[in-house]
Amino acid sequence: MSEPCVFCSIVAGDLPSRRVHEDDRVLAFMDINPISDGHLLVIPKSHARDLHDVPAEDLAACALVAQQLATRAVDRLDADGVNLLQCSGEAAFQTVFHVHLHVIPRYAGDPARDRLGQQWTPVHTPGDPERIAEVAARLA
Ligand code: 5GP
Ligand code: ZN
């Protein structure tokens, strides 16, 4: 890795962060620009750029920590639900190129604690069955 990485600096302790979990592989810390109360980030300590680049063991470890912290957000912050978000690539809104999972606690009808809003709008429009079958065949 040649470019400086803000999350590697956080792992190293060169930049401050509010840590909520740390083990050999994984660090979880509060997002500096929380979109909801308790919004946090789960990262592998070892640098990887995105979803395609991260070793399976690190991704699995991050997923388990994200699950634990999501449950904690429900139990301790009274969240009504949780979104997990992973952005890989600029087209998917990735801005920090050290792979991370967002854990976003959700609070129904409480804009003071939840600024995400209804960002996922189901389309309720059935897709073209031929196109669905075609992409399925390419993905299988
Ligand atoms: P992305 O858009 O790449 O999925 O999300 C990057 C996230 O990292 C953003 O939510 C942003 O607020 C957060 N972030 C960026 N720089 C820092 C930082 O220095 N400290 C912390 N705690 N979060 C950061
Ligand atoms: Zn990094």
Side-chain angles (χ1 to χ4, degrees), residues 1 5-9 46-48 97-98:
M1 185 194 64
C5 169
V6 66
F7 287 176
C8 281
S9 298
S46 177
H47 183 87
F97 289 85
H98 180 134

Side-chain angles (χ1 to χ4, degrees), residues 73-131:
V74 171
D75 291 345
R76 301 188 190 176
L77 303 180
D78 289 327
D80 300 306
V82 181
N83 282 118
L84 292 187
L85 176 67
Q86 203 292 308
C87 305
S88 268
E90 279 173 35
F93 318 123
Q94 185 173 12
T95 60
V96 175
F97 289 85
H98 180 134
V99 66
H100 50 280
L101 293 175
H102 294 259
V103 177
I104 307 174
R106 305 305 308 271
Y107 307 92
D110 188 350
R113 298 188 81 193
D114 187 329
R115 291 165 288 282
L116 184 54
Q118 179 79 26
Q119 298 290 338
W120 175 265
T121 309
V123 292
H124 300 303
T125 309
D128 172 10
E130 277 184 24
R131 178 62 185 162

